[in-house]
Amino acid sequence: MKRRLTCCLATLVCLVFSCKEEPKAEELAAKAAENYYRLLMNGHYDRFVDGIADADSLPADYREQLLVNAKQMMAQQQKEHQGIHDIKTVKAQIDSTAEHQAQVFLLLCFNDSTEEEIVVPMVSRGKEWRMN
């Protein structure tokens, strides 16, 4: 009897843990977008540029220009708003015409207590979401 009860409990535990719900595509896209912008906020410009779709196949001079643009943008935010202190996801939605594309709405929270909402277009590359 004890053995049967133990088997039933073990089966129940396995079922509970196997029913773990996978994150939704929009949640994954939002997390990726927020992470890329946190990299930018923290000065990891090269890793931010790596988050662009097909970044590994960009010509070197174009990649360098993207790095310069990222640095200039952050310098401008520092000058105008004393920098960014937080990034929050507002919402994310999958494109109704293409499941592998999403729009992520991020809220940039500046040190001067102002905020700005931006839209980050995202595209999935396999299981990875990249900025488009």
Side-chain angles (χ1 to χ4, degrees):
M1 183 71 170
K2 281 187 172 183
R3 188 173 183 182
R4 181 177 281 177
L5 181 61
T6 303
C7 286
C8 287
L9 286 175
T11 303
L12 181 62
V13 168
C14 287
L15 284 173
V16 168
F17 284 107
S18 68
C19 293
K20 185 177 174 184
E21 189 175 317
E22 290 292 318
K24 294 180 181 179
E26 56 266 21
E27 293 170 351
L28 296 172
K31 184 172 178 68
E34 189 174 320
N35 286 338
Y36 292 133
Y37 271 81
R38 286 194 185 285
L39 289 169
L40 179 65
M41 179 180 81
N42 292 315
H44 301 287
Y45 307 114
D46 54 337
R47 292 174 57 201
F48 174 77
V49 171
D50 288 342
I52 296 172
D54 303 321
D56 51 345
S57 62
L58 295 173
D61 58 337
Y62 182 61
R63 180 182 172 76
E64 185 61 34
Q65 186 58 51
L66 290 174
L67 285 168
V68 168
N69 289 348
K71 290 175 187 176
Q72 288 176 343
M73 185 192 108
M74 291 309 293
Q76 180 180 356
Q77 299 308 325
Q78 183 64 38
K79 180 181 175 185
E80 292 179 5
H81 303 287
Q82 293 84 50
I84 301 170
H85 74 86
D86 198 14
I87 297 165
K88 300 175 184 175
T89 299
V90 176
K91 72 176 181 175
Q93 57 191 39
I94 298 298
D95 189 323
S96 61
T97 60
E99 287 183 20
H100 64 280
Q101 295 182 359
Q103 304 294 319
V104 178
F105 297 79
L106 297 178
L107 188 66
L108 305 181
C109 304
F110 298 106
N111 288 322
D112 66 358
S113 73
T114 60
E115 299 174 334
E116 180 180 347
E117 188 173 307
I118 63 170
V119 179
V120 183
M122 300 293 286
V123 62
S124 67
R125 296 285 189 249
K127 293 187 176 199
E128 185 177 33
W129 284 90
R130 298 274 190 102
M131 295 178 288
N132 196 13

